[in-house]
Amino acid sequence: MLIRDRILDLFYPPRCPICGRIPDRGLICRACADTLRYVDRQYCMKCGRPLEDGRAEYCGDCEKIRHAFDQGRSLLSYQGAVRQSLYRFKYANCREYARFYAAGICSRLGEFIQTREITVLAPVPLHPARQKQRGYNQAALLAERIGAELGIPVEDRLLTRIKSTVPQKQLSGCQRKSNLDRAFQAGRKILPEERILLIDDIYTTGATANAAAAALRQAGARRVYVITAAIGG
């Protein structure tokens, strides 16, 4: 736990990211924790999506689509209370939820991150106009905490969003891909030895992750991975 968290906890106890109450201990109520579905057993070896068939290696999307990133993993299945929690994290100024999701990622996916020898964390950026309106970037909040816990530098300007797009949730799969065409640009040249981990809150169709990874590839990246708090499917 960061020192600043210990101090803040004395005055502003953390609230459960699921029900909003103050837990007896920790960052989430025991009852709420029991409802979460972690993606840690049967998942696609490419994007990390949960799989129903334990014999399958890839999900239907990854069998058809060639991704710009090397591999992705997610902490939780994007359903039920998690869906509502991440909505509040993203749109209702519940920035404190970053602590819970980042702690879970470090605990359950820390080994994945370390074995990929990640050298830099890159949060998926918002367009400047949208970030000004919202006041923060939830992906950057996650990246800052993950980087502090795992000792990996964070570059929140490694990627920039140069195209103002329609919110992805309003579009179909095909529309999401075209919506993000040339939406990102690398902020600098990427060295061949750098191994980049993209951080975002949600992975649905993979359009955002692919567009962001493609921009990094164009700047010279050879290895790009993706971590999200939750994934659909």
Side-chain angles (χ1 to χ4, degrees):
M1 182 188 298
L2 301 178
I3 295 176
R4 68 180 182 185
D5 290 334
R6 295 178 181 177
I7 296 173
L8 286 172
D9 286 354
L10 296 175
F11 302 97
Y12 305 102
R15 292 187 175 274
C16 173
I18 302 301
C19 71
R21 299 187 181 92
I22 298 176
D24 292 335
R25 57 182 300 178
L27 300 175
I28 186 171
C29 300
R30 292 183 181 180
C32 292
D34 290 339
T35 68
L36 302 181
R37 181 185 173 191
Y38 288 96
V39 186
D40 55 8
R41 293 188 179 181
Q42 298 175 183
Y43 53 84
C44 174
M45 297 304 294
K46 186 65 175 183
C47 73
R49 195 184 305 279
L51 297 175
E52 295 296 332
D53 185 354
R55 298 169 297 178
E57 291 188 9
Y58 302 101
C59 67
D61 285 347
C62 291
E63 288 181 343
K64 303 172 185 176
I65 301 171
R66 183 176 181 179
H67 294 296
F69 58 85
D70 290 279
Q71 194 175 10
R73 289 293 308 277
S74 295
L75 177 67
L76 292 157
S77 181
Y78 184 55
Q79 59 182 1
V82 169
R83 182 186 294 265
Q84 296 302 316
S85 173
L86 287 173
Y87 180 90
R88 295 193 299 274
F89 176 41
K90 192 169 186 174
Y91 297 112
N93 203 32
C94 291
R95 308 184 196 194
E96 67 274 17
Y97 290 3
R99 183 175 170 188
F100 167 76
Y101 289 109
I105 288 171
C106 292
S107 174
R108 292 176 176 266
L109 300 177
E111 183 178 357
F112 171 87
I113 296 171
Q114 298 288 10
T115 55
R116 270 62 185 177
E117 300 179 342
I118 301 300
T119 60
V120 60
L121 304 183
V124 173
L126 296 174
H127 187 271
R130 185 166 295 167
Q131 179 154 343
K132 182 177 180 181
Q133 180 184 37
R134 190 177 302 172
Y136 64 99
N137 176 7
Q138 69 283 350
L141 297 179
L142 286 173
E144 288 169 8
R145 286 191 167 274
I146 295 168
E149 178 68 24
L150 300 181
I152 303 173
V154 178
E155 287 193 40
D156 58 6
R157 295 186 179 180
L158 187 59
L159 269 179
T160 56
R161 199 157 191 156
I162 58 175
K163 177 182 174 183
S164 182
T165 56
V166 176
Q168 290 288 88
K169 63 181 181 178
Q170 299 177 10
L171 306 174
S172 67
C174 292
Q175 291 173 325
R176 290 183 182 207
K177 184 177 180 180
S178 60
N179 184 48
L180 288 165
D181 184 39
R182 299 180 182 179
F184 299 101
Q185 179 177 288
R188 63 171 175 81
K189 180 178 176 60
I190 310 298
L191 300 176
E193 63 270 20
E194 292 186 278
R195 302 170 74 90
I196 301 167
L197 180 63
L198 286 167
I199 304 292
D200 208 358
D201 54 339
I202 305 164
Y203 183 108
T204 47
T205 65
T208 300
N210 273 312
L216 292 171
R217 296 280 193 194
Q218 290 176 357
R222 294 184 179 178
R223 289 287 181 267
V224 182
Y225 300 90
V226 181
I227 287 284
T228 61
I231 189 168

